[in-house]
Structure formats: structure tokens, C-alpha cells
Amino acid sequence: MEDTKDTANVAMLNNKKFNRRIFPIYKMFSWDLLFYYSVSFLFLTQVKGFTASDVLLFDAFYTVFKFLSQIPSINIAESIGKRKSLIVSNILVAISILVLILCTDMWHLILSSALMGFGYSLKTLVDSVFLRDQITTKEHPRYCFY
């Protein structure tokens, strides 16, 4: 019985070690918004034909939706867990970019900003907690066993 517990503990610590190694790669691909704003502005104005004021209004909706989704993000992260929340947030961001690419009118841009605001709100909440859980070498980092 004790041997299986030690084996499970070693496996969990190895998984945490693997997650710590690949987390910087994940961060590099998932948080690179440096070029997103300039490329999206040029795409929406040159290719889709929106005006600059439409694009700035679209960016304002993103901020509003990110602000409004803070409390629901906490509830969702607590109910489905950190790992699933991280997956859902990345899916929402990917869908928002797909909607942005396929948009034909301003309502599509507002839907895209709503999805992106909710996705990034959930992502910023869960990323730091997920990383903190992977840094420790304890099996259960929140609990202290005497």
C-alpha cells in the first residue's frame, strides 16, 4: 500500500516537473499580443474595410467585456478546475480570433471582443495559480501536514 502511494507521488512530481519545463513555451505562444493589435488594426481597416473609429470602438468593447467577466471567471474556475479553465480560455480566444477573421459587420467584432475579453479574463486568473501549483515540490501545496 505504501509503495503505490510513493509511486503515485513520484509520478505527480514528475508531471509537475514536466509542466514547469513547458510552461515558458506555452506563455510564449499564448501571450504574445505585441503584434496582435497592429496586425488586427491593419487587417480590419485594409482588408475588411472598417474605419479607424470602428476598430477603436471594437477595442473599447474588449476592455468592457474583460471587466464584466471578472466575477464569472472566478466562479467558472472554481467549478470546473484550473486545468479545464485554462483549456476553455484558450479555446475562447481561438474562437474570438476566428470570428475576427470571418467578420462582416460590427456585431461580429463585438462578439469577437466579448469572447476575447472573457477568454483573457479567465486565462489571466488561472495561469498564475496553475504555475504556482507546479512550482512546489509538495504533492498538495496548499496543505501542511504535520
Side-chain angles (χ1 to χ4, degrees), residues 3 21-22 31 36-38 42 56 68 70 85-86 92 94 102-104 121 127-128 143:
D3 188 41
R21 284 186 188 151
I22 64 170
W31 282 97
Y36 169 77
Y37 290 112
S38 59
L42 290 174
L56 293 176
L68 293 176
Q70 292 294 317
S85 297
L86 196 58
L92 285 174
L102 300 175
C103 72
T104 57
S121 175
D127 267 349
S128 60
Y143 303 106

Side-chain angles (χ1 to χ4, degrees), residues 16-145:
K16 286 183 176 187
K17 186 177 182 180
F18 177 73
N19 285 340
R20 281 192 307 268
R21 284 186 188 151
I22 64 170
F23 194 79
I25 298 168
Y26 161 75
K27 268 305 228 200
M28 178 179 64
F29 286 114
S30 69
W31 282 97
D32 188 20
L33 291 178
L34 179 64
F35 298 109
Y36 169 77
Y37 290 112
S38 59
V39 169
S40 69
F41 184 83
L42 290 174
F43 174 74
L44 291 173
T45 56
Q46 299 295 319
V47 176
K48 294 294 184 175
F50 290 104
T51 63
S53 62
D54 290 339
V55 176
L56 293 176
L57 182 65
F58 159 70
D59 286 336
F61 274 110
Y62 165 73
T63 306
V64 169
F65 284 118
K66 190 170 180 181
F67 174 74
L68 293 176
S69 64
Q70 292 294 317
I71 300 221
S73 295
I74 294 169
N75 294 334
I76 288 173
E78 286 179 354
S79 64
I80 67 173
K82 293 178 287 255
R83 182 177 174 268
K84 289 181 183 176
S85 297
L86 196 58
I87 293 169
V88 167
S89 66
N90 285 320
I91 289 172
L92 285 174
V93 170
I95 290 172
S96 73
I97 292 174
L98 181 67
V99 169
L100 180 77
I101 291 171
L102 300 175
C103 72
T104 57
D105 61 356
M106 191 62 176
W107 294 108
H108 293 138
L109 290 177
I110 293 172
L111 174 66
S112 174
S113 67
L115 291 172
M116 187 174 289
F118 186 70
Y120 272 114
S121 175
L122 188 60
K123 182 187 284 250
T124 55
L125 173 73
V126 176
D127 267 349
S128 60
V129 176
F130 188 77
L131 180 60
R132 186 206 62 206
D133 288 346
Q134 302 307 316
I135 289 173
T136 184
T137 57
K138 295 181 189 176
E139 184 177 354
H140 300 285
R142 293 186 184 162
Y143 303 106
C144 183
F145 298 107

